[in-house]
Amino acid sequence: MATGRTHRPATRSRGIPEATVARLPLYLRALTALSERSVPTVSSEELAAAAGVNSAKLRKDFSYLGSYGTRGVGYDVEYLVYQISRELGLTQDWPVVIVGIGNLGAALANYGGFASRGFRVAALIDADPAMAGKPVAGIPVQHTDDLEKIIEDNGVSIGVIATPAGAAQQVCDRLVAAGVTSILNFAPTVLSVPDGVDVRKVDLSIELQILAFHEQRKAGEPTAAAHGVAGAPAAPTAPAAAAAASAPAAPAAAAATPGSRKGRPEGDVPAVMPA
Amino acid sequence: MATGRTHRPATRSRGIPEATVARLPLYLRALTALSERSVPTVSSEELAAAAGVNSAKLRKDFSYLGSYGTRGVGYDVEYLVYQISRELGLTQDWPVVIVGIGNLGAALANYGGFASRGFRVAALIDADPAMAGKPVAGIPVQHTDDLEKIIEDNGVSIGVIATPAGAAQQVCDRLVAAGVTSILNFAPTVLSVPDGVDVRKVDLSIELQILAFHEQRKAGEPTAAAHGVAGAPAAPTAPAAAAAASAPAAPAAAAATPGSRKGRPEGDVPAVMPA
DNA sequence: CAATCTTTGTGCACACGTTCACAAAGACAT
DNA sequence: ATGTCTTTGTGAACGTGTGCACAAAGATTG
């Protein structure tokens, strides 16, 4: 089962650490801003502040690219912009297809930062025949039937999936079969891909849940209240006991809003049931 | 400079590792799917496959929550759904505001996975007076002027920023001042926040650039061609030399599309200039 | 040309995350 | 009840990422 390629074979040759690669775009953005203000050089300290990272980390990151700085001075902005762009492969043109032109897909198609910096929306694809031909962000939507042809004709190697979760795996399979080797997945599903295909996922729901975790922790710490078995149901130690009641837990009321910082009229919350 | 809280003070008490927290939503999703199919129990192996992770990792992750499994059998699905939900704070109701109702903001407001599982869109906020009152996803858009009042009245502690980059920091400051302590940022900027405020960022452009890096690497490895100083300009070792030409490098043509796997008519690519 | 000052590049130690591999727990059959 | 079989929970080894602290490089000044 080749699910998502977990283990990377330790980036070969002059491998740049994954964590560094993930930060390069951040540096590049900060550098581009400096470049536009015609700032000639920048120190690791300044650039690090602009990118929101530690300066030692930044210097180490750059050291993987080579020694592009000048001691006592800093880094040449323009030169560094070029080096990072080259390292990230942004001096090439990357045609991208977006599959699934719903609200999100349309938003992505319109997103400016998308088109800049080497990426070009080569095609918009949707399964709805009614969408076909309708222009979104100035680009006519094409039907899924032509997916393979579109990929090949445009030499697309990066695909963006913005379909509902149910369709994602199928779309993914077709993209991969047609030659796409990098996928940016916005659908809330785990995609299975063969070796050699990269998948990155963007999941709003997951991000929110992570925030909620920390938020709960923050709220629980000061008062040290919500620990232990907060009045909840479910047998203390025996998990199998849950089989008794088919509706196990969650209820106990999708209770009070946590951040009751400022006095808030109680009961005005529609209490949305989770799932 | 409190930029993004880099060092966490080592998650206190019975701290759950950050990496584990980030995976819990993934497990929860897989478990919910099983629950809907009325599957009573699941083994770490099966669940790991569904979530796209290593089974040992999953077991270790669960071990931080306590011992909820039964050896020789596996985990009780319903019970685990509840435990994870509780740990993530999803048994509470989290009102969320979305600021910036452009294409992306509207897409987020309409996003289904957003509303489910404890999160509730409490308000949509935009700076454009023309938007005020106009309903998006059934919720009337309110003006930025009322931001503080909206936050307080609804007890909002989680804010989503979907504004243009230029407005993001300002909006962030106001959200934080009004009491928001968790921010999900879609604007391509580094946000500065005081201690105690969590920021998570979702950046399409960065994700694409990371994919491009790997894509380039894939393309460069087989032929072992594009290494070294690929015909580029710029002085070999002296960075300062770049000061000579104000337009340093990038040119050399925003050249040929990389994935020329299948023979593709050359020159049909509009050659988008990066910056 | 020597002294001083700034800032890079990196060795080292430590923290965090991942994976292996296996003992122990429990289910289940006989 | 005893033995076998499955699957968890975790100790330990390893790999990756982070941050300190400092030597060495080069600019700059007198």
Side-chain angles (χ1 to χ4, degrees), chain A residues 18 29 82 87 92-94 156 181-182 200 203 207 214-216 218 232 249 258 261 269, chain B residues 18 29 82 92-94 156 181-182 200 203 207 214-216 218 232 249 258 261 269:
Chain A
E18 197 55 33
R29 181 175 291 157
Y82 171 67
E87 198 66 52
Q92 295 179 20
D93 171 58
W94 295 103
V156 173
T181 48
S182 286
R200 295 192 67 86
D203 196 314
E207 298 299 324
H214 292 298
E215 198 59 38
Q216 185 186 40
K218 281 183 231 166
R261 286 171 284 83
V269 179
Chain B
E18 197 55 32
R29 182 175 290 159
Y82 171 66
Q92 295 179 21
D93 171 58
W94 295 103
V156 173
T181 48
S182 286
R200 294 191 67 86
D203 197 314
E207 298 300 324
H214 292 300
E215 199 59 36
Q216 185 185 39
K218 279 182 233 167
R261 286 170 283 85
V269 178

mmCIF file of all heavy atoms in Angstrom, chain A residues 18 29 82 87 92-94 156 181-182 200 203 207 214-216 218 232 249 258 261 269, chain B residues 18 29 82 92-94 156 181-182 200 203 207 214-216 218 232 249 258 261 269:
data_model
loop_
_atom_site.group_PDB
_atom_site.id
_atom_site.type_symbol
_atom_site.label_atom_id
_atom_site.label_comp_id
_atom_site.label_asym_id
_atom_site.label_seq_id
_atom_site.Cartn_x
_atom_site.Cartn_y
_atom_site.Cartn_z
ATOM 1 N N GLU A 18 14.160 19.173 4.159
ATOM 2 C CA GLU A 18 12.772 19.493 3.847
ATOM 3 C C GLU A 18 12.300 20.751 4.566
ATOM 4 O O GLU A 18 11.607 21.595 3.997
ATOM 5 C CB GLU A 18 11.899 18.294 4.229
ATOM 6 C CG GLU A 18 10.518 18.278 3.626
ATOM 7 C CD GLU A 18 10.520 18.373 2.105
ATOM 8 O OE1 GLU A 18 11.457 17.858 1.465
ATOM 9 O OE2 GLU A 18 9.578 18.986 1.560
ATOM 10 N N ARG A 29 9.697 35.662 -0.462
ATOM 11 C CA ARG A 29 8.660 36.684 -0.400
ATOM 12 C C ARG A 29 9.199 37.947 0.287
ATOM 13 O O ARG A 29 9.001 39.062 -0.207
ATOM 14 C CB ARG A 29 7.455 36.150 0.365
ATOM 15 C CG ARG A 29 6.326 37.131 0.471
ATOM 16 C CD ARG A 29 5.122 36.515 1.118
ATOM 17 N NE ARG A 29 4.493 35.503 0.273
ATOM 18 C CZ ARG A 29 3.721 34.529 0.735
ATOM 19 N NH1 ARG A 29 3.503 34.421 2.026
ATOM 20 N NH2 ARG A 29 3.169 33.680 -0.102
ATOM 21 N N TYR A 82 17.446 35.660 -6.894
ATOM 22 C CA TYR A 82 17.680 34.787 -8.040
ATOM 23 C C TYR A 82 18.060 33.379 -7.614
ATOM 24 O O TYR A 82 17.541 32.388 -8.133
ATOM 25 C CB TYR A 82 18.762 35.366 -8.955
ATOM 26 C CG TYR A 82 19.170 34.379 -10.022
ATOM 27 C CD1 TYR A 82 18.269 34.001 -11.014
ATOM 28 C CD2 TYR A 82 20.421 33.774 -9.995
ATOM 29 C CE1 TYR A 82 18.601 33.050 -11.957
ATOM 30 C CE2 TYR A 82 20.761 32.824 -10.939
ATOM 31 C CZ TYR A 82 19.857 32.461 -11.918
ATOM 32 O OH TYR A 82 20.179 31.521 -12.847
ATOM 33 N N GLU A 87 16.690 27.719 -7.156
ATOM 34 C CA GLU A 87 16.662 26.505 -6.342
ATOM 35 C C GLU A 87 15.245 25.922 -6.265
ATOM 36 O O GLU A 87 15.052 24.710 -6.305
ATOM 37 C CB GLU A 87 17.173 26.824 -4.931
ATOM 38 C CG GLU A 87 17.609 25.614 -4.134
ATOM 39 C CD GLU A 87 18.838 24.934 -4.723
ATOM 40 O OE1 GLU A 87 19.860 25.626 -4.960
ATOM 41 O OE2 GLU A 87 18.772 23.727 -4.967
ATOM 42 N N GLN A 92 11.446 28.460 -14.139
ATOM 43 C CA GLN A 92 10.742 27.735 -15.181
ATOM 44 C C GLN A 92 9.281 28.153 -15.169
ATOM 45 O O GLN A 92 8.813 28.772 -14.238
ATOM 46 C CB GLN A 92 10.807 26.225 -14.920
ATOM 47 C CG GLN A 92 12.197 25.648 -14.992
ATOM 48 C CD GLN A 92 12.202 24.154 -14.711
ATOM 49 O OE1 GLN A 92 11.175 23.494 -14.823
ATOM 50 N NE2 GLN A 92 13.356 23.629 -14.354
ATOM 51 N N ASP A 93 8.570 27.756 -16.186
ATOM 52 C CA ASP A 93 7.146 28.017 -16.244
ATOM 53 C C ASP A 93 6.420 26.738 -15.864
ATOM 54 O O ASP A 93 6.639 25.683 -16.454
ATOM 55 C CB ASP A 93 6.757 28.426 -17.674
ATOM 56 C CG ASP A 93 5.259 28.507 -17.842
ATOM 57 O OD1 ASP A 93 4.640 29.287 -17.103
ATOM 58 O OD2 ASP A 93 4.720 27.784 -18.697
ATOM 59 N N TRP A 94 5.575 26.817 -14.842
ATOM 60 C CA TRP A 94 4.851 25.624 -14.405
ATOM 61 C C TRP A 94 3.373 25.741 -14.724
ATOM 62 O O TRP A 94 2.632 26.419 -14.015
ATOM 63 C CB TRP A 94 5.023 25.418 -12.908
ATOM 64 C CG TRP A 94 6.424 25.129 -12.478
ATOM 65 C CD1 TRP A 94 7.290 25.998 -11.892
ATOM 66 C CD2 TRP A 94 7.121 23.883 -12.588
ATOM 67 N NE1 TRP A 94 8.480 25.375 -11.627
ATOM 68 C CE2 TRP A 94 8.416 24.081 -12.036
ATOM 69 C CE3 TRP A 94 6.784 22.622 -13.086
ATOM 70 C CZ2 TRP A 94 9.368 23.062 -11.992
ATOM 71 C CZ3 TRP A 94 7.745 21.615 -13.033
ATOM 72 C CH2 TRP A 94 9.003 21.839 -12.494
ATOM 73 N N VAL A 156 1.350 19.470 -18.407
ATOM 74 C CA VAL A 156 1.113 19.792 -16.987
ATOM 75 C C VAL A 156 1.704 18.725 -16.078
ATOM 76 O O VAL A 156 1.507 17.537 -16.299
ATOM 77 C CB VAL A 156 -0.401 19.892 -16.711
ATOM 78 C CG1 VAL A 156 -0.659 20.050 -15.215
ATOM 79 C CG2 VAL A 156 -0.999 21.046 -17.491
ATOM 80 N N THR A 181 2.707 14.648 -11.609
ATOM 81 C CA THR A 181 3.540 14.042 -10.570
ATOM 82 C C THR A 181 3.575 14.853 -9.284
ATOM 83 O O THR A 181 4.280 14.513 -8.340
ATOM 84 C CB THR A 181 4.980 13.833 -11.084
ATOM 85 O OG1 THR A 181 5.419 15.038 -11.708
ATOM 86 C CG2 THR A 181 5.056 12.709 -12.085
ATOM 87 N N SER A 182 2.846 15.951 -9.252
ATOM 88 C CA SER A 182 2.728 16.728 -8.022
ATOM 89 C C SER A 182 1.284 17.175 -7.860
ATOM 90 O O SER A 182 0.696 17.702 -8.799
ATOM 91 C CB SER A 182 3.634 17.963 -8.062
ATOM 92 O OG SER A 182 4.982 17.608 -7.897
ATOM 93 N N ARG A 200 0.705 17.301 -1.488
ATOM 94 C CA ARG A 200 0.633 18.189 -0.334
ATOM 95 C C ARG A 200 -0.829 18.501 -0.124
ATOM 96 O O ARG A 200 -1.569 18.672 -1.078
ATOM 97 C CB ARG A 200 1.423 19.481 -0.572
ATOM 98 C CG ARG A 200 2.923 19.236 -0.710
ATOM 99 C CD ARG A 200 3.690 20.527 -0.644
ATOM 100 N NE ARG A 200 3.618 21.149 0.661
ATOM 101 C CZ ARG A 200 4.428 20.859 1.676
ATOM 102 N NH1 ARG A 200 5.370 19.961 1.526
ATOM 103 N NH2 ARG A 200 4.295 21.462 2.827
ATOM 104 N N ASP A 203 -5.838 21.651 4.357
ATOM 105 C CA ASP A 203 -7.099 21.224 4.935
ATOM 106 C C ASP A 203 -7.575 22.202 6.002
ATOM 107 O O ASP A 203 -7.091 22.229 7.120
ATOM 108 C CB ASP A 203 -6.914 19.832 5.527
ATOM 109 C CG ASP A 203 -8.231 19.148 5.805
ATOM 110 O OD1 ASP A 203 -9.121 19.804 6.377
ATOM 111 O OD2 ASP A 203 -8.372 17.969 5.450
ATOM 112 N N GLU A 207 -6.800 22.480 10.199
ATOM 113 C CA GLU A 207 -6.168 23.654 10.798
ATOM 114 C C GLU A 207 -7.021 24.219 11.926
ATOM 115 O O GLU A 207 -6.516 24.584 12.987
ATOM 116 C CB GLU A 207 -5.939 24.734 9.734
ATOM 117 C CG GLU A 207 -5.012 24.323 8.603
ATOM 118 C CD GLU A 207 -3.619 23.969 9.096
ATOM 119 O OE1 GLU A 207 -3.130 24.610 10.034
ATOM 120 O OE2 GLU A 207 -3.014 23.032 8.526
ATOM 121 N N HIS A 214 -5.530 24.079 20.923
ATOM 122 C CA HIS A 214 -4.721 25.028 21.696
ATOM 123 C C HIS A 214 -5.606 26.016 22.441
ATOM 124 O O HIS A 214 -5.290 26.432 23.554
ATOM 125 C CB HIS A 214 -3.751 25.766 20.783
ATOM 126 C CG HIS A 214 -2.683 24.872 20.236
ATOM 127 N ND1 HIS A 214 -1.774 24.219 21.028
ATOM 128 C CD2 HIS A 214 -2.375 24.501 18.964
ATOM 129 C CE1 HIS A 214 -0.961 23.492 20.287
ATOM 130 N NE2 HIS A 214 -1.305 23.639 19.017
ATOM 131 N N GLU A 215 -6.694 26.363 21.790
ATOM 132 C CA GLU A 215 -7.625 27.309 22.402
ATOM 133 C C GLU A 215 -8.207 26.697 23.678
ATOM 134 O O GLU A 215 -8.271 27.356 24.714
ATOM 135 C CB GLU A 215 -8.742 27.618 21.395
ATOM 136 C CG GLU A 215 -9.527 28.860 21.684
ATOM 137 C CD GLU A 215 -8.644 30.087 21.709
ATOM 138 O OE1 GLU A 215 -7.695 30.182 20.893
ATOM 139 O OE2 GLU A 215 -8.889 30.947 22.560
ATOM 140 N N GLN A 216 -8.584 25.446 23.583
ATOM 141 C CA GLN A 216 -9.127 24.740 24.738
ATOM 142 C C GLN A 216 -8.092 24.673 25.862
ATOM 143 O O GLN A 216 -8.403 24.879 27.018
ATOM 144 C CB GLN A 216 -9.523 23.322 24.330
ATOM 145 C CG GLN A 216 -10.217 22.533 25.433
ATOM 146 C CD GLN A 216 -10.466 21.088 25.016
ATOM 147 O OE1 GLN A 216 -9.626 20.465 24.376
ATOM 148 N NE2 GLN A 216 -11.613 20.557 25.372
ATOM 149 N N LYS A 218 -5.610 26.706 26.358
ATOM 150 C CA LYS A 218 -5.462 28.043 26.952
ATOM 151 C C LYS A 218 -6.579 28.306 27.949
ATOM 152 O O LYS A 218 -6.338 28.801 29.047
ATOM 153 C CB LYS A 218 -5.542 29.119 25.854
ATOM 154 C CG LYS A 218 -4.273 29.305 25.059
ATOM 155 C CD LYS A 218 -4.464 30.439 24.058
ATOM 156 C CE LYS A 218 -4.061 30.000 22.665
ATOM 157 N NZ LYS A 218 -4.518 30.936 21.614
ATOM 158 N N ALA A 232 -18.531 13.583 31.694
ATOM 159 C CA ALA A 232 -18.905 12.849 30.495
ATOM 160 C C ALA A 232 -19.394 11.449 30.803
ATOM 161 O O ALA A 232 -19.213 10.938 31.901
ATOM 162 C CB ALA A 232 -17.716 12.770 29.551
ATOM 163 N N ALA A 249 -21.184 9.062 23.037
ATOM 164 C CA ALA A 249 -20.761 10.158 23.880
ATOM 165 C C ALA A 249 -21.207 11.532 23.436
ATOM 166 O O ALA A 249 -22.222 12.041 23.885
ATOM 167 C CB ALA A 249 -19.257 10.143 23.984
ATOM 168 N N PRO A 258 -16.765 28.546 24.719
ATOM 169 C CA PRO A 258 -15.668 28.621 25.669
ATOM 170 C C PRO A 258 -15.291 30.057 26.044
ATOM 171 O O PRO A 258 -15.335 30.432 27.192
ATOM 172 C CB PRO A 258 -14.526 27.936 24.936
ATOM 173 C CG PRO A 258 -14.886 28.037 23.487
ATOM 174 C CD PRO A 258 -16.363 28.029 23.436
ATOM 175 N N ARG A 261 -15.082 35.224 27.863
ATOM 176 C CA ARG A 261 -14.285 36.293 28.454
ATOM 177 C C ARG A 261 -15.179 37.449 28.869
ATOM 178 O O ARG A 261 -15.274 37.797 30.027
ATOM 179 C CB ARG A 261 -13.254 36.781 27.441
ATOM 180 C CG ARG A 261 -12.093 35.832 27.237
ATOM 181 C CD ARG A 261 -11.222 36.255 26.081
ATOM 182 N NE ARG A 261 -11.813 35.957 24.763
ATOM 183 C CZ ARG A 261 -12.697 36.709 24.147
ATOM 184 N NH1 ARG A 261 -13.096 37.848 24.682
ATOM 185 N NH2 ARG A 261 -13.190 36.355 22.985
ATOM 186 N N VAL A 269 -26.585 30.939 21.521
ATOM 187 C CA VAL A 269 -25.831 30.157 20.550
ATOM 188 C C VAL A 269 -26.657 28.985 20.026
ATOM 189 O O VAL A 269 -27.112 28.158 20.803
ATOM 190 C CB VAL A 269 -24.531 29.611 21.195
ATOM 191 C CG1 VAL A 269 -23.767 28.783 20.199
ATOM 192 C CG2 VAL A 269 -23.685 30.779 21.698
ATOM 193 N N GLU B 18 3.106 18.182 19.578
ATOM 194 C CA GLU B 18 2.474 18.965 18.523
ATOM 195 C C GLU B 18 2.198 18.131 17.275
ATOM 196 O O GLU B 18 1.142 18.246 16.649
ATOM 197 C CB GLU B 18 3.398 20.145 18.172
ATOM 198 C CG GLU B 18 2.746 21.261 17.396
ATOM 199 C CD GLU B 18 1.506 21.830 18.079
ATOM 200 O OE1 GLU B 18 1.461 21.850 19.332
ATOM 201 O OE2 GLU B 18 0.577 22.228 17.357
ATOM 202 N N ARG B 29 -11.277 11.937 11.371
ATOM 203 C CA ARG B 29 -12.011 11.873 10.113
ATOM 204 C C ARG B 29 -12.198 10.433 9.666
ATOM 205 O O ARG B 29 -13.286 10.021 9.273
ATOM 206 C CB ARG B 29 -11.256 12.666 9.039
ATOM 207 C CG ARG B 29 -11.953 12.695 7.710
ATOM 208 C CD ARG B 29 -11.229 13.589 6.748
ATOM 209 N NE ARG B 29 -11.351 14.996 7.092
ATOM 210 C CZ ARG B 29 -10.522 15.936 6.685
ATOM 211 N NH1 ARG B 29 -9.494 15.612 5.933
ATOM 212 N NH2 ARG B 29 -10.708 17.185 7.026
ATOM 213 N N TYR B 82 -15.167 9.776 20.393
ATOM 214 C CA TYR B 82 -15.479 10.688 21.479
ATOM 215 C C TYR B 82 -14.224 11.198 22.173
ATOM 216 O O TYR B 82 -14.077 12.397 22.423
ATOM 217 C CB TYR B 82 -16.394 10.016 22.511
ATOM 218 C CG TYR B 82 -16.547 10.856 23.740
ATOM 219 C CD1 TYR B 82 -17.192 12.091 23.674
ATOM 220 C CD2 TYR B 82 -15.998 10.464 24.958
ATOM 221 C CE1 TYR B 82 -17.307 12.899 24.786
ATOM 222 C CE2 TYR B 82 -16.100 11.270 26.075
ATOM 223 C CZ TYR B 82 -16.754 12.490 25.985
ATOM 224 O OH TYR B 82 -16.844 13.296 27.082
ATOM 225 N N GLN B 92 -17.150 21.351 22.274
ATOM 226 C CA GLN B 92 -17.602 22.714 22.532
ATOM 227 C C GLN B 92 -18.039 23.336 21.215
ATOM 228 O O GLN B 92 -17.768 22.820 20.148
ATOM 229 C CB GLN B 92 -16.454 23.562 23.101
ATOM 230 C CG GLN B 92 -15.968 23.109 24.462
ATOM 231 C CD GLN B 92 -14.823 23.969 24.950
ATOM 232 O OE1 GLN B 92 -14.636 25.092 24.504
ATOM 233 N NE2 GLN B 92 -14.054 23.423 25.885
ATOM 234 N N ASP B 93 -18.687 24.462 21.340
ATOM 235 C CA ASP B 93 -19.084 25.208 20.147
ATOM 236 C C ASP B 93 -18.090 26.347 19.949
ATOM 237 O O ASP B 93 -17.864 27.143 20.856
ATOM 238 C CB ASP B 93 -20.494 25.772 20.351
ATOM 239 C CG ASP B 93 -20.882 26.723 19.246
ATOM 240 O OD1 ASP B 93 -20.863 26.295 18.085
ATOM 241 O OD2 ASP B 93 -21.188 27.893 19.546
ATOM 242 N N TRP B 94 -17.472 26.395 18.782
ATOM 243 C CA TRP B 94 -16.494 27.450 18.514
ATOM 244 C C TRP B 94 -17.013 28.426 17.463
ATOM 245 O O TRP B 94 -17.004 28.127 16.277
ATOM 246 C CB TRP B 94 -15.175 26.842 18.011
ATOM 247 C CG TRP B 94 -14.471 25.991 19.019
ATOM 248 C CD1 TRP B 94 -14.432 24.630 19.050
ATOM 249 C CD2 TRP B 94 -13.696 26.428 20.134
ATOM 250 N NE1 TRP B 94 -13.678 24.202 20.112
ATOM 251 C CE2 TRP B 94 -13.212 25.274 20.795
ATOM 252 C CE3 TRP B 94 -13.356 27.690 20.645
ATOM 253 C CZ2 TRP B 94 -12.420 25.339 21.934
ATOM 254 C CZ3 TRP B 94 -12.558 27.745 21.778
ATOM 255 C CH2 TRP B 94 -12.099 26.588 22.418
ATOM 256 N N VAL B 156 -16.230 35.399 20.315
ATOM 257 C CA VAL B 156 -15.381 34.739 19.324
ATOM 258 C C VAL B 156 -13.929 34.692 19.793
ATOM 259 O O VAL B 156 -13.392 35.695 20.242
ATOM 260 C CB VAL B 156 -15.432 35.500 17.974
ATOM 261 C CG1 VAL B 156 -14.417 34.916 17.007
ATOM 262 C CG2 VAL B 156 -16.834 35.433 17.396
ATOM 263 N N THR B 181 -7.799 34.884 20.166
ATOM 264 C CA THR B 181 -6.514 34.323 20.571
ATOM 265 C C THR B 181 -6.017 33.214 19.642
ATOM 266 O O THR B 181 -4.981 32.613 19.896
ATOM 267 C CB THR B 181 -6.589 33.772 22.011
ATOM 268 O OG1 THR B 181 -7.756 32.965 22.141
ATOM 269 C CG2 THR B 181 -6.645 34.897 23.021
ATOM 270 N N SER B 182 -6.770 32.943 18.591
ATOM 271 C CA SER B 182 -6.321 31.977 17.590
ATOM 272 C C SER B 182 -6.683 32.506 16.211
ATOM 273 O O SER B 182 -7.823 32.921 15.978
ATOM 274 C CB SER B 182 -7.002 30.627 17.791
ATOM 275 O OG SER B 182 -6.471 29.956 18.897
ATOM 276 N N ARG B 200 -1.911 30.100 12.678
ATOM 277 C CA ARG B 200 -1.585 29.076 11.696
ATOM 278 C C ARG B 200 -1.811 29.698 10.336
ATOM 279 O O ARG B 200 -2.755 30.436 10.132
ATOM 280 C CB ARG B 200 -2.466 27.830 11.871
ATOM 281 C CG ARG B 200 -2.209 27.117 13.188
ATOM 282 C CD ARG B 200 -2.874 25.764 13.208
ATOM 283 N NE ARG B 200 -2.273 24.851 12.266
ATOM 284 C CZ ARG B 200 -1.198 24.103 12.534
ATOM 285 N NH1 ARG B 200 -0.619 24.174 13.703
ATOM 286 N NH2 ARG B 200 -0.711 23.303 11.620
ATOM 287 N N ASP B 203 -0.980 28.837 2.993
ATOM 288 C CA ASP B 203 -0.430 29.661 1.927
ATOM 289 C C ASP B 203 -0.292 28.872 0.632
ATOM 290 O O ASP B 203 0.618 28.080 0.456
ATOM 291 C CB ASP B 203 0.919 30.203 2.377
ATOM 292 C CG ASP B 203 1.358 31.370 1.526
ATOM 293 O OD1 ASP B 203 1.265 31.279 0.290
ATOM 294 O OD2 ASP B 203 1.797 32.368 2.109
ATOM 295 N N GLU B 207 2.880 26.414 -0.857
ATOM 296 C CA GLU B 207 2.695 24.988 -1.144
ATOM 297 C C GLU B 207 3.095 24.662 -2.583
ATOM 298 O O GLU B 207 3.761 23.673 -2.851
ATOM 299 C CB GLU B 207 1.236 24.584 -0.924
ATOM 300 C CG GLU B 207 0.739 24.750 0.504
ATOM 301 C CD GLU B 207 1.524 23.919 1.495
ATOM 302 O OE1 GLU B 207 1.936 22.806 1.150
ATOM 303 O OE2 GLU B 207 1.754 24.398 2.625
ATOM 304 N N HIS B 214 10.332 20.021 -5.644
ATOM 305 C CA HIS B 214 10.449 18.574 -5.800
ATOM 306 C C HIS B 214 10.280 18.150 -7.252
ATOM 307 O O HIS B 214 10.913 17.218 -7.715
ATOM 308 C CB HIS B 214 9.418 17.871 -4.918
ATOM 309 C CG HIS B 214 9.690 18.025 -3.460
ATOM 310 N ND1 HIS B 214 10.839 17.585 -2.868
ATOM 311 C CD2 HIS B 214 8.969 18.608 -2.461
ATOM 312 C CE1 HIS B 214 10.817 17.865 -1.573
ATOM 313 N NE2 HIS B 214 9.692 18.500 -1.301
ATOM 314 N N GLU B 215 9.415 18.876 -7.919
ATOM 315 C CA GLU B 215 9.172 18.584 -9.321
ATOM 316 C C GLU B 215 10.449 18.797 -10.131
ATOM 317 O O GLU B 215 10.830 17.969 -10.961
ATOM 318 C CB GLU B 215 8.054 19.494 -9.845
ATOM 319 C CG GLU B 215 7.392 19.018 -11.110
ATOM 320 C CD GLU B 215 6.762 17.658 -10.958
ATOM 321 O OE1 GLU B 215 6.218 17.333 -9.882
ATOM 322 O OE2 GLU B 215 6.834 16.890 -11.921
ATOM 323 N N GLN B 216 11.100 19.885 -9.842
ATOM 324 C CA GLN B 216 12.354 20.199 -10.524
ATOM 325 C C GLN B 216 13.400 19.125 -10.238
ATOM 326 O O GLN B 216 14.125 18.686 -11.117
ATOM 327 C CB GLN B 216 12.877 21.551 -10.033
ATOM 328 C CG GLN B 216 14.114 22.023 -10.761
ATOM 329 C CD GLN B 216 14.666 23.300 -10.162
ATOM 330 O OE1 GLN B 216 14.670 23.479 -8.951
ATOM 331 N NE2 GLN B 216 15.123 24.206 -11.000
ATOM 332 N N LYS B 218 12.859 16.032 -9.414
ATOM 333 C CA LYS B 218 12.490 14.814 -10.147
ATOM 334 C C LYS B 218 12.952 14.913 -11.592
ATOM 335 O O LYS B 218 13.525 13.973 -12.129
ATOM 336 C CB LYS B 218 10.966 14.624 -10.137
ATOM 337 C CG LYS B 218 10.414 14.014 -8.875
ATOM 338 C CD LYS B 218 8.901 13.846 -9.016
ATOM 339 C CE LYS B 218 8.164 14.491 -7.863
ATOM 340 N NZ LYS B 218 6.724 14.606 -8.112
ATOM 341 N N ALA B 232 23.545 30.375 -16.334
ATOM 342 C CA ALA B 232 23.014 31.605 -15.761
ATOM 343 C C ALA B 232 24.052 32.713 -15.715
ATOM 344 O O ALA B 232 25.236 32.479 -15.865
ATOM 345 C CB ALA B 232 22.501 31.331 -14.358
ATOM 346 N N ALA B 249 19.338 38.635 -12.620
ATOM 347 C CA ALA B 249 19.389 37.297 -13.177
ATOM 348 C C ALA B 249 18.124 36.831 -13.888
ATOM 349 O O ALA B 249 18.033 36.922 -15.099
ATOM 350 C CB ALA B 249 19.700 36.317 -12.063
ATOM 351 N N PRO B 258 8.943 22.342 -18.082
ATOM 352 C CA PRO B 258 9.763 21.195 -17.717
ATOM 353 C C PRO B 258 9.185 19.861 -18.193
ATOM 354 O O PRO B 258 9.822 19.134 -18.916
ATOM 355 C CB PRO B 258 9.773 21.252 -16.192
ATOM 356 C CG PRO B 258 8.566 22.064 -15.822
ATOM 357 C CD PRO B 258 8.370 23.022 -16.953
ATOM 358 N N ARG B 261 7.375 15.547 -21.047
ATOM 359 C CA ARG B 261 7.270 14.095 -21.161
ATOM 360 C C ARG B 261 6.731 13.703 -22.533
ATOM 361 O O ARG B 261 7.394 13.051 -23.308
ATOM 362 C CB ARG B 261 6.323 13.564 -20.085
ATOM 363 C CG ARG B 261 6.911 13.562 -18.691
ATOM 364 C CD ARG B 261 5.861 13.263 -17.660
ATOM 365 N NE ARG B 261 4.982 14.406 -17.375
ATOM 366 C CZ ARG B 261 3.904 14.705 -18.085
ATOM 367 N NH1 ARG B 261 3.547 13.958 -19.087
ATOM 368 N NH2 ARG B 261 3.175 15.750 -17.785
ATOM 369 N N VAL B 269 3.682 28.263 -25.119
ATOM 370 C CA VAL B 269 3.554 28.732 -23.746
ATOM 371 C C VAL B 269 3.817 30.242 -23.653
ATOM 372 O O VAL B 269 4.882 30.701 -24.030
ATOM 373 C CB VAL B 269 4.556 27.996 -22.831
ATOM 374 C CG1 VAL B 269 4.445 28.514 -21.412
ATOM 375 C CG2 VAL B 269 4.286 26.495 -22.883
#
